[in-house]
Amino acid sequence: QVQLVESGGGLVQAGGSLRLSCVASGRTFSSYVMGWFRQAPGKEREFVSRITMSGGNTYYADSVKGRFTISRDNAKNTVYLQMNSLKPEDTAVYYCAAGTAVTGVYAYWGQGTQVTVSS
């Protein structure tokens, strides 16, 4: 069982930056692929970014590529999402999730953190 707790959300003006953090419980953090997803009001949840177990490979949705950076610190059981050049369309609840590389399924989810970008 893995418990995930996000933090770092808030209200920011367009063009600003935020850094989200997600801390995982347990001693097997490094065995999980970690992902960030978001859900805007009235929309389906969408993929934002993911990072492999070692942190050696990262992937991004086209909508955030070049603006967001995912990273992880396995010693701290933490995954980060640095968000720069924020746009109003980035407004959403952001969730981190832990999954296995074998199945590609994200089995564990955090409670989410709200990010609001004002124009």
Side-chain angles (χ1 to χ4, degrees):
Q1 190 78 5
V2 176
Q3 291 185 324
L4 304 172
V5 179
E6 303 98 333
S7 63
L11 173 64
V12 64
Q13 288 187 331
S17 299
L18 283 174
R19 188 196 197 198
L20 305 184
S21 299
C22 173
V23 179
S25 65
R27 293 176 287 182
T28 58
F29 177 75
S30 60
S31 66
Y32 290 97
V33 171
M34 297 300 298
W36 284 98
F37 294 78
R38 67 186 183 186
Q39 187 167 20
K43 295 187 177 181
E44 294 187 352
R45 185 170 58 196
E46 65 175 0
F47 166 78
V48 174
S49 182
R50 74 173 183 271
I51 187 167
T52 52
M53 293 179 289
S54 66
N57 290 290
T58 57
Y59 306 88
Y60 299 92
D62 287 342
S63 58
V64 307
K65 201 171 294 184
R67 300 187 298 122
F68 291 11
T69 303
I70 190 171
S71 61
R72 67 189 295 163
D73 185 338
N74 286 341
K76 295 183 178 180
N77 282 12
T78 302
V79 61
Y80 305 97
L81 186 67
Q82 178 66 45
M83 306 185 296
N84 299 328
S85 302
L86 283 162
K87 305 175 181 180
E89 51 263 44
D90 294 319
T91 295
V93 177
Y94 283 71
Y95 300 88
C96 71
T100 61
V102 174
T103 65
V105 174
Y106 289 92
Y108 304 103
W109 294 81
Q111 83 289 348
T113 185
Q114 176 71 47
V115 171
T116 303
V117 184
S118 63
S119 56

Short mmCIF file of all heavy atoms in Angstrom, two decimals, residues 30-96:
data_model
loop_
_atom_site.label_atom_id
_atom_site.label_comp_id
_atom_site.label_asym_id
_atom_site.label_seq_id
_atom_site.Cartn_x
_atom_site.Cartn_y
_atom_site.Cartn_z
N SER A 30 10.86 3.85 -4.86
CA SER A 30 11.72 3.76 -6.05
C SER A 30 11.31 2.67 -7.02
O SER A 30 11.83 2.60 -8.13
CB SER A 30 13.18 3.55 -5.63
OG SER A 30 13.29 2.35 -4.90
N SER A 31 10.38 1.82 -6.63
CA SER A 31 9.92 0.77 -7.52
C SER A 31 8.70 1.16 -8.33
O SER A 31 8.18 0.37 -9.11
CB SER A 31 9.60 -0.51 -6.73
OG SER A 31 8.49 -0.29 -5.87
N TYR A 32 8.26 2.40 -8.17
CA TYR A 32 7.06 2.87 -8.87
C TYR A 32 7.40 3.93 -9.92
O TYR A 32 8.22 4.83 -9.68
CB TYR A 32 6.06 3.47 -7.89
CG TYR A 32 5.40 2.45 -6.99
CD1 TYR A 32 5.89 2.22 -5.71
CD2 TYR A 32 4.31 1.71 -7.43
CE1 TYR A 32 5.30 1.29 -4.89
CE2 TYR A 32 3.71 0.77 -6.61
CZ TYR A 32 4.21 0.57 -5.34
OH TYR A 32 3.62 -0.37 -4.53
N VAL A 33 6.72 3.81 -11.04
CA VAL A 33 6.64 4.92 -11.97
C VAL A 33 5.71 5.96 -11.35
O VAL A 33 4.67 5.60 -10.80
CB VAL A 33 6.08 4.46 -13.33
CG1 VAL A 33 5.80 5.64 -14.24
CG2 VAL A 33 7.02 3.46 -13.99
N MET A 34 6.08 7.20 -11.42
CA MET A 34 5.26 8.26 -10.83
C MET A 34 4.72 9.16 -11.93
O MET A 34 5.43 9.50 -12.88
CB MET A 34 6.07 9.07 -9.84
CG MET A 34 6.57 8.27 -8.65
SD MET A 34 5.24 7.55 -7.67
CE MET A 34 4.35 9.01 -7.10
N GLY A 35 3.46 9.54 -11.76
CA GLY A 35 2.84 10.39 -12.76
C GLY A 35 2.10 11.55 -12.13
O GLY A 35 1.74 11.51 -10.96
N TRP A 36 1.92 12.58 -12.92
CA TRP A 36 1.07 13.71 -12.55
C TRP A 36 -0.08 13.78 -13.57
O TRP A 36 0.15 13.65 -14.79
CB TRP A 36 1.83 15.02 -12.57
CG TRP A 36 2.75 15.22 -11.41
CD1 TRP A 36 4.09 14.99 -11.36
CD2 TRP A 36 2.38 15.71 -10.10
NE1 TRP A 36 4.59 15.29 -10.11
CE2 TRP A 36 3.56 15.74 -9.32
CE3 TRP A 36 1.19 16.13 -9.52
CZ2 TRP A 36 3.57 16.17 -8.00
CZ3 TRP A 36 1.20 16.55 -8.20
CH2 TRP A 36 2.38 16.56 -7.46
N PHE A 37 -1.27 13.98 -13.04
CA PHE A 37 -2.46 14.13 -13.85
C PHE A 37 -3.19 15.38 -13.38
O PHE A 37 -2.90 15.91 -12.30
CB PHE A 37 -3.37 12.91 -13.70
CG PHE A 37 -2.77 11.64 -14.24
CD1 PHE A 37 -1.80 10.95 -13.52
CD2 PHE A 37 -3.16 11.13 -15.46
CE1 PHE A 37 -1.23 9.77 -14.01
CE2 PHE A 37 -2.61 9.96 -15.96
CZ PHE A 37 -1.64 9.29 -15.24
N ARG A 38 -4.14 15.85 -14.18
CA ARG A 38 -4.93 17.00 -13.75
C ARG A 38 -6.35 16.87 -14.27
O ARG A 38 -6.60 16.19 -15.27
CB ARG A 38 -4.29 18.30 -14.22
CG ARG A 38 -4.30 18.51 -15.72
CD ARG A 38 -3.51 19.77 -16.09
NE ARG A 38 -3.53 20.04 -17.52
CZ ARG A 38 -2.84 21.02 -18.11
NH1 ARG A 38 -2.06 21.81 -17.38
NH2 ARG A 38 -2.91 21.18 -19.41
N GLN A 39 -7.24 17.52 -13.54
CA GLN A 39 -8.64 17.53 -13.95
C GLN A 39 -9.21 18.92 -13.75
O GLN A 39 -9.25 19.42 -12.62
CB GLN A 39 -9.45 16.50 -13.16
CG GLN A 39 -10.87 16.35 -13.66
CD GLN A 39 -11.56 15.13 -13.10
OE1 GLN A 39 -11.16 14.58 -12.07
NE2 GLN A 39 -12.61 14.68 -13.77
N ALA A 40 -9.62 19.51 -14.85
CA ALA A 40 -10.24 20.82 -14.81
C ALA A 40 -11.75 20.65 -14.65
O ALA A 40 -12.30 19.59 -14.99
CB ALA A 40 -9.93 21.57 -16.10
N PRO A 41 -12.42 21.68 -14.14
CA PRO A 41 -13.88 21.58 -13.97
C PRO A 41 -14.58 21.22 -15.27
O PRO A 41 -14.33 21.83 -16.31
CB PRO A 41 -14.26 22.98 -13.49
CG PRO A 41 -13.03 23.52 -12.87
CD PRO A 41 -11.89 22.96 -13.65
N GLY A 42 -15.44 20.22 -15.22
CA GLY A 42 -16.21 19.82 -16.38
C GLY A 42 -15.45 19.03 -17.42
O GLY A 42 -15.98 18.73 -18.48
N LYS A 43 -14.20 18.69 -17.10
CA LYS A 43 -13.38 17.95 -18.06
C LYS A 43 -12.91 16.64 -17.44
O LYS A 43 -12.91 16.46 -16.24
CB LYS A 43 -12.17 18.78 -18.49
CG LYS A 43 -12.54 20.03 -19.28
CD LYS A 43 -11.30 20.72 -19.81
CE LYS A 43 -11.67 21.93 -20.66
NZ LYS A 43 -10.46 22.59 -21.21
N GLU A 44 -12.48 15.74 -18.31
CA GLU A 44 -11.95 14.48 -17.83
C GLU A 44 -10.51 14.67 -17.33
O GLU A 44 -9.82 15.60 -17.75
CB GLU A 44 -11.97 13.44 -18.96
CG GLU A 44 -13.36 13.04 -19.40
CD GLU A 44 -13.35 11.90 -20.38
OE1 GLU A 44 -12.27 11.50 -20.84
OE2 GLU A 44 -14.46 11.40 -20.71
N ARG A 45 -10.13 13.76 -16.47
CA ARG A 45 -8.75 13.79 -16.00
C ARG A 45 -7.81 13.51 -17.16
O ARG A 45 -8.08 12.63 -17.98
CB ARG A 45 -8.57 12.75 -14.90
CG ARG A 45 -7.21 12.76 -14.23
CD ARG A 45 -7.20 11.88 -13.01
NE ARG A 45 -7.56 10.50 -13.34
CZ ARG A 45 -7.93 9.59 -12.45
NH1 ARG A 45 -7.98 9.92 -11.16
NH2 ARG A 45 -8.22 8.36 -12.83
N GLU A 46 -6.70 14.24 -17.19
CA GLU A 46 -5.75 14.07 -18.29
C GLU A 46 -4.33 13.89 -17.77
O GLU A 46 -3.96 14.40 -16.71
CB GLU A 46 -5.80 15.26 -19.25
CG GLU A 46 -5.38 16.57 -18.65
CD GLU A 46 -5.33 17.71 -19.67
OE1 GLU A 46 -5.64 17.47 -20.85
OE2 GLU A 46 -4.98 18.84 -19.28
N PHE A 47 -3.56 13.19 -18.55
CA PHE A 47 -2.16 12.97 -18.24
C PHE A 47 -1.38 14.27 -18.40
O PHE A 47 -1.59 15.03 -19.34
CB PHE A 47 -1.60 11.90 -19.19
CG PHE A 47 -0.11 11.80 -19.22
CD1 PHE A 47 0.57 11.14 -18.20
CD2 PHE A 47 0.62 12.36 -20.25
CE1 PHE A 47 1.94 11.04 -18.22
CE2 PHE A 47 2.00 12.27 -20.28
CZ PHE A 47 2.66 11.60 -19.26
N VAL A 48 -0.45 14.50 -17.47
CA VAL A 48 0.42 15.66 -17.54
C VAL A 48 1.87 15.23 -17.78
O VAL A 48 2.53 15.69 -18.72
CB VAL A 48 0.34 16.51 -16.26
CG1 VAL A 48 1.36 17.65 -16.29
CG2 VAL A 48 -1.08 17.04 -16.07
N SER A 49 2.35 14.32 -16.92
CA SER A 49 3.75 13.95 -17.01
C SER A 49 3.98 12.66 -16.23
O SER A 49 3.20 12.32 -15.34
CB SER A 49 4.63 15.07 -16.42
OG SER A 49 6.00 14.76 -16.52
N ARG A 50 5.06 11.95 -16.57
CA ARG A 50 5.45 10.80 -15.77
C ARG A 50 6.95 10.67 -15.80
O ARG A 50 7.65 11.22 -16.66
CB ARG A 50 4.79 9.52 -16.26
CG ARG A 50 5.35 8.94 -17.55
CD ARG A 50 4.72 7.59 -17.84
NE ARG A 50 5.26 6.94 -19.01
CZ ARG A 50 4.79 7.10 -20.24
NH1 ARG A 50 3.78 7.91 -20.46
NH2 ARG A 50 5.34 6.46 -21.23
N ILE A 51 7.45 9.94 -14.80
CA ILE A 51 8.89 9.75 -14.65
C ILE A 51 9.14 8.30 -14.28
O ILE A 51 8.40 7.71 -13.48
CB ILE A 51 9.46 10.73 -13.60
CG1 ILE A 51 10.98 10.68 -13.55
CG2 ILE A 51 8.84 10.51 -12.23
CD1 ILE A 51 11.59 11.85 -12.77
N THR A 52 10.17 7.73 -14.85
CA THR A 52 10.48 6.34 -14.59
C THR A 52 11.06 6.16 -13.19
O THR A 52 11.36 7.11 -12.49
CB THR A 52 11.45 5.80 -15.64
OG1 THR A 52 12.59 6.69 -15.73
CG2 THR A 52 10.79 5.72 -17.00
N MET A 53 11.23 4.91 -12.80
CA MET A 53 11.60 4.59 -11.43
C MET A 53 12.91 5.25 -11.00
O MET A 53 13.02 5.77 -9.89
CB MET A 53 11.68 3.08 -11.27
CG MET A 53 10.35 2.38 -11.38
SD MET A 53 10.46 0.59 -11.22
CE MET A 53 11.26 0.17 -12.77
N SER A 54 13.88 5.26 -11.89
CA SER A 54 15.18 5.84 -11.56
C SER A 54 15.23 7.34 -11.82
O SER A 54 16.18 8.01 -11.43
CB SER A 54 16.27 5.18 -12.40
OG SER A 54 16.09 5.50 -13.77
N GLY A 55 14.21 7.83 -12.51
CA GLY A 55 14.21 9.23 -12.90
C GLY A 55 14.93 9.50 -14.20
O GLY A 55 15.07 10.65 -14.62
N GLY A 56 15.36 8.45 -14.85
CA GLY A 56 16.15 8.62 -16.06
C GLY A 56 15.38 9.03 -17.29
O GLY A 56 15.95 9.58 -18.23
N ASN A 57 14.09 8.78 -17.28
CA ASN A 57 13.25 9.13 -18.42
C ASN A 57 12.00 9.85 -17.96
O ASN A 57 11.38 9.48 -16.98
CB ASN A 57 12.86 7.88 -19.21
CG ASN A 57 14.04 7.28 -19.94
OD1 ASN A 57 14.56 7.85 -20.90
ND2 ASN A 57 14.49 6.13 -19.47
N THR A 58 11.65 10.89 -18.71
CA THR A 58 10.47 11.67 -18.39
C THR A 58 9.63 11.86 -19.65
O THR A 58 10.15 11.83 -20.78
CB THR A 58 10.85 13.05 -17.83
OG1 THR A 58 11.69 13.73 -18.78
CG2 THR A 58 11.62 12.92 -16.52
N TYR A 59 8.34 12.03 -19.44
CA TYR A 59 7.40 12.17 -20.54
C TYR A 59 6.41 13.27 -20.18
O TYR A 59 6.07 13.44 -19.01
CB TYR A 59 6.66 10.85 -20.78
CG TYR A 59 7.59 9.69 -20.99
CD1 TYR A 59 8.06 8.95 -19.91
CD2 TYR A 59 8.02 9.33 -22.26
CE1 TYR A 59 8.93 7.89 -20.09
CE2 TYR A 59 8.88 8.26 -22.46
CZ TYR A 59 9.35 7.55 -21.36
OH TYR A 59 10.21 6.51 -21.54
N TYR A 60 5.96 14.00 -21.21
CA TYR A 60 5.07 15.13 -20.98
C TYR A 60 3.95 15.16 -22.01
O TYR A 60 4.13 14.76 -23.17
CB TYR A 60 5.84 16.44 -21.07
CG TYR A 60 6.96 16.57 -20.06
CD1 TYR A 60 8.25 16.17 -20.37
CD2 TYR A 60 6.70 17.08 -18.79
CE1 TYR A 60 9.27 16.27 -19.43
CE2 TYR A 60 7.71 17.18 -17.85
CZ TYR A 60 8.99 16.78 -18.18
OH TYR A 60 9.99 16.89 -17.25
N ALA A 61 2.82 15.67 -21.57
CA ALA A 61 1.76 16.00 -22.52
C ALA A 61 2.24 17.17 -23.37
O ALA A 61 2.99 18.03 -22.91
CB ALA A 61 0.49 16.37 -21.77
N ASP A 62 1.77 17.20 -24.60
CA ASP A 62 2.20 18.28 -25.50
C ASP A 62 1.85 19.66 -24.93
O ASP A 62 2.56 20.63 -25.16
CB ASP A 62 1.55 18.10 -26.87
CG ASP A 62 2.15 16.95 -27.65
OD1 ASP A 62 3.26 16.50 -27.31
OD2 ASP A 62 1.50 16.49 -28.62
N SER A 63 0.75 19.72 -24.21
CA SER A 63 0.27 21.01 -23.70
C SER A 63 1.19 21.61 -22.64
O SER A 63 1.11 22.82 -22.37
CB SER A 63 -1.13 20.85 -23.12
OG SER A 63 -1.14 19.88 -22.09
N VAL A 64 2.05 20.80 -22.03
CA VAL A 64 2.92 21.33 -20.97
C VAL A 64 4.40 21.20 -21.32
O VAL A 64 5.25 21.71 -20.57
CB VAL A 64 2.65 20.63 -19.62
CG1 VAL A 64 1.16 20.69 -19.27
CG2 VAL A 64 3.14 19.18 -19.65
N LYS A 65 4.69 20.57 -22.43
CA LYS A 65 6.08 20.34 -22.81
C LYS A 65 6.82 21.68 -22.94
O LYS A 65 6.32 22.62 -23.54
CB LYS A 65 6.13 19.58 -24.12
CG LYS A 65 7.42 18.84 -24.40
CD LYS A 65 7.26 17.94 -25.60
CE LYS A 65 6.27 16.81 -25.34
NZ LYS A 65 6.17 15.86 -26.50
N GLY A 66 8.00 21.74 -22.33
CA GLY A 66 8.79 22.96 -22.36
C GLY A 66 8.47 23.93 -21.24
O GLY A 66 9.21 24.89 -21.03
N ARG A 67 7.38 23.69 -20.53
CA ARG A 67 7.00 24.58 -19.42
C ARG A 67 7.05 23.86 -18.07
O ARG A 67 7.36 24.49 -17.05
CB ARG A 67 5.58 25.13 -19.63
CG ARG A 67 5.42 25.93 -20.90
CD ARG A 67 4.03 26.59 -20.96
NE ARG A 67 2.95 25.61 -20.99
CZ ARG A 67 1.98 25.57 -20.09
NH1 ARG A 67 1.94 26.43 -19.08
NH2 ARG A 67 1.01 24.66 -20.19
N PHE A 68 6.72 22.58 -18.05
CA PHE A 68 6.70 21.79 -16.82
C PHE A 68 7.90 20.85 -16.79
O PHE A 68 8.33 20.34 -17.84
CB PHE A 68 5.43 20.96 -16.73
CG PHE A 68 4.16 21.75 -16.51
CD1 PHE A 68 4.13 23.14 -16.62
CD2 PHE A 68 2.98 21.09 -16.19
CE1 PHE A 68 2.96 23.85 -16.40
CE2 PHE A 68 1.81 21.79 -15.97
CZ PHE A 68 1.79 23.17 -16.09
N THR A 69 8.38 20.58 -15.59
CA THR A 69 9.48 19.63 -15.40
C THR A 69 9.16 18.71 -14.24
O THR A 69 8.89 19.18 -13.13
CB THR A 69 10.80 20.35 -15.13
OG1 THR A 69 11.10 21.25 -16.20
CG2 THR A 69 11.94 19.33 -15.00
N ILE A 70 9.19 17.42 -14.51
CA ILE A 70 8.97 16.43 -13.45
C ILE A 70 10.32 15.93 -12.97
O ILE A 70 11.27 15.79 -13.76
CB ILE A 70 8.09 15.26 -13.96
CG1 ILE A 70 7.66 14.37 -12.80
CG2 ILE A 70 8.80 14.47 -15.04
CD1 ILE A 70 6.60 13.33 -13.20
N SER A 71 10.41 15.67 -11.68
CA SER A 71 11.64 15.11 -11.12
C SER A 71 11.26 14.31 -9.88
O SER A 71 10.13 14.39 -9.40
CB SER A 71 12.64 16.21 -10.76
OG SER A 71 12.11 17.09 -9.79
N ARG A 72 12.21 13.53 -9.39
CA ARG A 72 11.94 12.74 -8.20
C ARG A 72 13.20 12.63 -7.36
O ARG A 72 14.32 12.66 -7.90
CB ARG A 72 11.40 11.36 -8.56
CG ARG A 72 12.37 10.44 -9.26
CD ARG A 72 11.67 9.18 -9.77
NE ARG A 72 11.15 8.35 -8.71
CZ ARG A 72 10.23 7.39 -8.89
NH1 ARG A 72 9.75 7.16 -10.10
NH2 ARG A 72 9.81 6.67 -7.86
N ASP A 73 12.98 12.46 -6.08
CA ASP A 73 14.07 12.22 -5.14
C ASP A 73 13.70 10.96 -4.38
O ASP A 73 12.88 11.00 -3.45
CB ASP A 73 14.22 13.42 -4.19
CG ASP A 73 15.41 13.29 -3.27
OD1 ASP A 73 15.88 12.15 -3.05
OD2 ASP A 73 15.87 14.31 -2.75
N ASN A 74 14.28 9.85 -4.79
CA ASN A 74 13.91 8.58 -4.18
C ASN A 74 14.33 8.49 -2.71
O ASN A 74 13.71 7.76 -1.92
CB ASN A 74 14.49 7.41 -4.97
CG ASN A 74 13.76 7.20 -6.29
OD1 ASN A 74 12.63 7.67 -6.48
ND2 ASN A 74 14.40 6.51 -7.22
N ALA A 75 15.34 9.22 -2.33
CA ALA A 75 15.75 9.22 -0.93
C ALA A 75 14.72 9.91 -0.04
O ALA A 75 14.64 9.63 1.15
CB ALA A 75 17.10 9.91 -0.79
N LYS A 76 13.95 10.81 -0.65
CA LYS A 76 12.93 11.54 0.11
C LYS A 76 11.52 11.06 -0.21
O LYS A 76 10.54 11.65 0.25
CB LYS A 76 13.03 13.04 -0.19
CG LYS A 76 14.34 13.67 0.28
CD LYS A 76 14.34 15.17 0.01
CE LYS A 76 15.61 15.81 0.52
NZ LYS A 76 15.63 17.28 0.28
N ASN A 77 11.41 10.00 -1.02
CA ASN A 77 10.09 9.49 -1.39
C ASN A 77 9.20 10.58 -1.98
O ASN A 77 7.99 10.63 -1.70
CB ASN A 77 9.37 8.85 -0.20
CG ASN A 77 9.89 7.46 0.12
OD1 ASN A 77 10.92 7.04 -0.40
ND2 ASN A 77 9.18 6.75 0.97
N THR A 78 9.77 11.43 -2.79
CA THR A 78 9.04 12.61 -3.27
C THR A 78 9.20 12.77 -4.79
O THR A 78 10.29 12.59 -5.33
CB THR A 78 9.54 13.88 -2.57
OG1 THR A 78 9.39 13.72 -1.16
CG2 THR A 78 8.75 15.10 -3.01
N VAL A 79 8.10 13.12 -5.41
CA VAL A 79 8.11 13.50 -6.83
C VAL A 79 7.65 14.95 -6.92
O VAL A 79 6.79 15.39 -6.14
CB VAL A 79 7.24 12.56 -7.67
CG1 VAL A 79 5.78 12.59 -7.24
CG2 VAL A 79 7.37 12.87 -9.16
N TYR A 80 8.24 15.69 -7.83
CA TYR A 80 7.96 17.11 -7.98
C TYR A 80 7.43 17.41 -9.39
O TYR A 80 7.70 16.69 -10.34
CB TYR A 80 9.24 17.93 -7.77
CG TYR A 80 9.93 17.67 -6.46
CD1 TYR A 80 11.00 16.78 -6.37
CD2 TYR A 80 9.52 18.32 -5.30
CE1 TYR A 80 11.64 16.54 -5.17
CE2 TYR A 80 10.16 18.10 -4.09
CZ TYR A 80 11.22 17.20 -4.03
OH TYR A 80 11.86 16.97 -2.84
N LEU A 81 6.70 18.51 -9.46
CA LEU A 81 6.31 19.03 -10.76
C LEU A 81 6.55 20.54 -10.73
O LEU A 81 5.82 21.27 -10.06
CB LEU A 81 4.85 18.73 -11.08
CG LEU A 81 4.41 19.12 -12.49
CD1 LEU A 81 5.11 18.24 -13.54
CD2 LEU A 81 2.90 19.02 -12.65
N GLN A 82 7.60 20.97 -11.40
CA GLN A 82 7.88 22.39 -11.52
C GLN A 82 7.10 22.93 -12.71
O GLN A 82 7.26 22.45 -13.84
CB GLN A 82 9.38 22.61 -11.74
CG GLN A 82 9.77 24.06 -11.93
CD GLN A 82 9.55 24.90 -10.69
OE1 GLN A 82 9.90 24.49 -9.58
NE2 GLN A 82 8.98 26.09 -10.87
N MET A 83 6.27 23.91 -12.45
CA MET A 83 5.40 24.46 -13.49
C MET A 83 5.75 25.92 -13.70
O MET A 83 5.61 26.75 -12.80
CB MET A 83 3.94 24.32 -13.07
CG MET A 83 3.54 22.89 -12.71
SD MET A 83 1.78 22.72 -12.36
CE MET A 83 1.60 23.73 -10.91
N ASN A 84 6.24 26.23 -14.88
CA ASN A 84 6.61 27.59 -15.25
C ASN A 84 5.71 28.11 -16.37
O ASN A 84 5.03 27.33 -17.03
CB ASN A 84 8.07 27.63 -15.71
CG ASN A 84 9.04 27.20 -14.62
OD1 ASN A 84 8.80 27.41 -13.44
ND2 ASN A 84 10.15 26.60 -15.03
N SER A 85 5.73 29.40 -16.56
CA SER A 85 4.95 30.04 -17.63
C SER A 85 3.50 29.55 -17.60
O SER A 85 2.93 29.17 -18.63
CB SER A 85 5.58 29.74 -19.00
OG SER A 85 6.91 30.19 -19.04
N LEU A 86 2.92 29.57 -16.42
CA LEU A 86 1.57 29.03 -16.26
C LEU A 86 0.55 29.85 -17.04
O LEU A 86 0.67 31.07 -17.19
CB LEU A 86 1.20 28.99 -14.78
CG LEU A 86 1.86 27.82 -14.03
CD1 LEU A 86 1.83 28.07 -12.53
CD2 LEU A 86 1.13 26.52 -14.35
N LYS A 87 -0.45 29.14 -17.53
CA LYS A 87 -1.53 29.72 -18.32
C LYS A 87 -2.86 29.48 -17.61
O LYS A 87 -2.99 28.50 -16.87
CB LYS A 87 -1.57 29.09 -19.70
CG LYS A 87 -0.26 29.16 -20.47
CD LYS A 87 -0.36 28.41 -21.78
CE LYS A 87 0.94 28.44 -22.55
NZ LYS A 87 0.84 27.68 -23.84
N PRO A 88 -3.85 30.30 -17.87
CA PRO A 88 -5.17 30.04 -17.26
C PRO A 88 -5.70 28.64 -17.56
O PRO A 88 -6.37 28.04 -16.71
CB PRO A 88 -6.05 31.12 -17.89
CG PRO A 88 -5.10 32.25 -18.17
CD PRO A 88 -3.82 31.58 -18.59
N GLU A 89 -5.38 28.11 -18.70
CA GLU A 89 -5.85 26.75 -19.05
C GLU A 89 -5.15 25.65 -18.26
O GLU A 89 -5.51 24.49 -18.37
CB GLU A 89 -5.71 26.49 -20.55
CG GLU A 89 -4.34 26.79 -21.13
CD GLU A 89 -4.28 28.16 -21.77
OE1 GLU A 89 -4.79 29.14 -21.18
OE2 GLU A 89 -3.67 28.28 -22.86
N ASP A 90 -4.14 26.01 -17.47
CA ASP A 90 -3.51 25.04 -16.58
C ASP A 90 -4.29 24.88 -15.27
O ASP A 90 -3.97 24.02 -14.45
CB ASP A 90 -2.08 25.46 -16.25
CG ASP A 90 -1.16 25.42 -17.46
OD1 ASP A 90 -1.26 24.48 -18.25
OD2 ASP A 90 -0.34 26.37 -17.59
N THR A 91 -5.31 25.70 -15.08
CA THR A 91 -6.12 25.62 -13.87
C THR A 91 -6.80 24.26 -13.78
O THR A 91 -7.47 23.82 -14.70
CB THR A 91 -7.19 26.73 -13.87
OG1 THR A 91 -6.54 28.00 -13.81
CG2 THR A 91 -8.13 26.57 -12.69
N ALA A 92 -6.56 23.58 -12.66
CA ALA A 92 -7.10 22.23 -12.47
C ALA A 92 -6.71 21.74 -11.09
O ALA A 92 -5.89 22.35 -10.40
CB ALA A 92 -6.54 21.27 -13.52
N VAL A 93 -7.30 20.61 -10.72
CA VAL A 93 -6.80 19.87 -9.56
C VAL A 93 -5.73 18.92 -10.09
O VAL A 93 -5.97 18.18 -11.05
CB VAL A 93 -7.91 19.08 -8.86
CG1 VAL A 93 -7.34 18.27 -7.71
CG2 VAL A 93 -9.00 20.03 -8.36
N TYR A 94 -4.57 18.97 -9.47
CA TYR A 94 -3.45 18.15 -9.90
C TYR A 94 -3.28 16.97 -8.95
O TYR A 94 -3.26 17.15 -7.73
CB TYR A 94 -2.16 18.98 -9.94
CG TYR A 94 -2.10 19.87 -11.16
CD1 TYR A 94 -2.93 20.98 -11.27
CD2 TYR A 94 -1.23 19.60 -12.20
CE1 TYR A 94 -2.89 21.81 -12.40
CE2 TYR A 94 -1.17 20.41 -13.33
CZ TYR A 94 -2.01 21.51 -13.41
OH TYR A 94 -1.96 22.31 -14.53
N TYR A 95 -3.14 15.79 -9.53
CA TYR A 95 -3.01 14.56 -8.77
C TYR A 95 -1.68 13.88 -9.10
O TYR A 95 -1.28 13.83 -10.27
CB TYR A 95 -4.12 13.58 -9.11
CG TYR A 95 -5.51 14.08 -8.86
CD1 TYR A 95 -6.22 14.79 -9.82
CD2 TYR A 95 -6.14 13.83 -7.63
CE1 TYR A 95 -7.51 15.24 -9.59
CE2 TYR A 95 -7.43 14.28 -7.39
CZ TYR A 95 -8.10 14.98 -8.36
OH TYR A 95 -9.38 15.42 -8.13
N CYS A 96 -1.04 13.33 -8.09
CA CYS A 96 0.07 12.44 -8.38
C CYS A 96 -0.41 11.01 -8.24
O CYS A 96 -1.38 10.74 -7.53
CB CYS A 96 1.28 12.72 -7.50
SG CYS A 96 1.11 12.23 -5.78
#
